[in-house]
Amino acid sequence: MIKIEDVKLEETAEHKELSALVDGSRVWFRFPKWASIGLRAEIFLPVAIAEAMVRAEDVVVEDQRAISAKLLAALPEVVNVFCSWNGDDNHKIQVHATSEATAHPSESVICCFSGGIDSSLSFSQHQAEITDLLVVMGFDLADAGAQWQQLTGRIQKFANKHGKRVITVETNIRKVIESRNLSWEASYGCVLASIGIALAPRTFIIPSGFSYPDLFAYGSHPLLDPLWSTESTTVLHDGLGFSRTQKTECLVAHQELLDDLQVCWDHINKNCGRCSKCVRTSLALHLLGATSVSLPAYPGTESLSILKPGSLAGVPFTEDLIRLAKRTGHLDVARILIRYRDRFLFKYHLIESVRAILGNRGRWLSHRFAKKGWHALRTKIKSGNATLD
């Protein structure tokens, strides 16, 4: 059994800390002092379920700590989704817990917010109803250090300008998940949703990273996120009707949001202008004839090599930029990106064909000589991380 036990809610001068032992590891979440947090166990389920599915052991919530009856009824489907995505590593398990209907919700509406394209689009679409912006330490960089203070300061300034509150949450859950050699990419959507239902708003908005035609197995997904809804809180996976460049185009009408963009892979407090996310965003703005004071300008076609797809997850973003480049008459950019996409797909399908011909030996060889550590994870989501390795 994977046990969730010793659930504690402690208050200090700076924050409220909700913690528990999950299979012997202390997992903690620190919320603002003013946040209304109950002594409940739902927030610890993502790491427990991930570990349980790998070990084929059930989860038990000890100490009579109740979880939402609606959520408990939905957890078998959460497990079904993960097992359908990766039945080699994951096994069907059950969660044993006392359940009860959660209390009547507050009227708050919380939106996950990093300042990126996805969350900025969700903010612009739901600005009138959103009351709070949630920012969680460690979702982009596990060890942000001083950058975390700068990020929260920047988002607080943004929130003040728009009359919203900021909920900052610090947690060690990513470190616990990664220390167990489990995939953070597979777990982060469930973690976000569990934090949301712990705060018990009327609606909890998780901005989508992909659009309807580009969906594939991934940790935050419209099949998964809404399953974490409770009697109090509806979890909404938002923005599926827009591609990344379409979201960017929508934001052109909101210059204040463009000027506050934070998209960098390497920093959470500034944009380097050189990483793939920075170049991808600056290129889209260039194609649309827009600018952002927070993002260095598009440096030219010599920078496009950083946008070569490295996995299947990257192909939709490349194709999205190709469509925008064609539509805006930047055929030189489109030709370069088409070449990068086609080269990746040719190599990918060639390697997949060799693997299929060689069978188990082909898969063993590809894992044996792979450069990336993804294959070594105890569990993962396969499709989105499929690479040339």
Side-chain angles (χ1 to χ4, degrees), residues 172-192:
N172 70 336
I173 193 167
R174 177 172 180 170
K175 291 183 178 180
V176 171
I177 287 172
E178 291 183 339
S179 72
R180 291 170 173 263
N181 208 22
L182 300 169
S183 168
W184 174 245
E185 283 70 26
S187 300
Y188 83 94
C190 297
V191 171
L192 266 183

Side-chain angles (χ1 to χ4, degrees), residues 311-342:
S311 69
L312 286 181
V315 172
F317 297 118
T318 304
E319 293 179 334
D320 190 29
L321 286 168
I322 291 169
R323 288 191 293 269
L324 180 61
K326 286 181 176 179
R327 180 163 63 85
T328 56
H330 294 80
L331 299 184
D332 57 333
V333 172
R335 281 191 288 268
I336 293 171
L337 295 178
I338 288 170
R339 185 165 68 249
Y340 292 157
R341 179 203 62 189
D342 290 350

Side-chain angles (χ1 to χ4, degrees), residues 16 40 43 54 69 77 83 86-87 93 96 110 157 186 206 221 237 249 262 329 341 368 372:
K16 290 178 180 175
R40 301 181 64 89
I43 201 168
V54 175
E77 194 62 20
C83 289
N86 183 357
I93 58 97
H96 306 276
I110 300 175
K157 183 178 178 181
I206 300 179
H221 192 282
H237 186 95
E249 191 166 9
Q262 174 59 45
R341 179 203 62 189
R368 175 68 177 81
K372 299 181 185 294

Side-chain angles (χ1 to χ4, degrees), residues 53-65:
M53 288 190 298
V54 175
R55 285 167 36 188
E57 299 179 23
D58 286 353
V59 173
V60 59
V61 181
E62 303 254 333
D63 308 324
Q64 297 299 303
R65 295 299 178 200

Side-chain angles (χ1 to χ4, degrees), residues 97-260:
T98 302
S99 65
E100 63 183 18
T102 54
H104 184 73
S106 70
E107 288 305 305
S108 63
V109 174
I110 300 175
C111 180
C112 301
F113 191 80
S114 65
I117 294 293
D118 300 324
S119 60
S120 294
L121 188 280
S122 288
F123 180 83
S124 72
Q125 296 283 301
H126 302 279
Q127 183 173 349
E129 59 185 302
I130 289 171
T131 58
D132 300 86
L133 303 177
L134 174 72
V135 55
V136 184
M137 181 181 70
F139 266 63
D140 293 312
L141 294 176
D143 293 297
Q147 292 187 41
W148 169 247
Q149 299 301 326
Q150 294 168 358
L151 170 69
T152 54
R154 181 181 62 78
I155 292 180
Q156 185 65 66
K157 183 178 178 181
F158 173 88
N160 291 343
K161 185 164 55 177
H162 294 279
K164 312 299 181 185
R165 293 186 303 184
V166 176
I167 303 172
T168 57
V169 177
E170 299 184 13
T171 176
N172 70 336
I173 193 167
R174 177 172 180 170
K175 291 183 178 180
V176 171
I177 287 172
E178 291 183 339
S179 72
R180 291 170 173 263
N181 208 22
L182 300 169
S183 168
W184 174 245
E185 283 70 26
S187 300
Y188 83 94
C190 297
V191 171
L192 266 183
S194 70
I195 293 172
I197 63 176
L199 291 160
R202 172 167 52 87
T203 306
F204 183 66
I205 300 171
I206 300 179
S208 174
F210 297 91
S211 59
Y212 283 115
D214 301 323
L215 284 174
F216 59 89
Y218 206 57
S220 178
H221 192 282
L223 285 178
L224 273 177
D225 296 350
L227 291 173
W228 289 84
S229 299
T230 68
E231 296 85 354
S232 300
T233 302
T234 298
V235 178
L236 174 65
H237 186 95
D238 183 61
L240 288 157
F242 301 85
S243 72
R244 186 64 55 85
T245 62
Q246 288 171 338
K247 291 178 181 181
T248 307
E249 191 166 9
C250 288
L251 292 175
V252 170
H254 303 274
Q255 188 62 44
E256 74 281 5
L257 294 178
L258 285 184
D259 287 339
D260 279 307

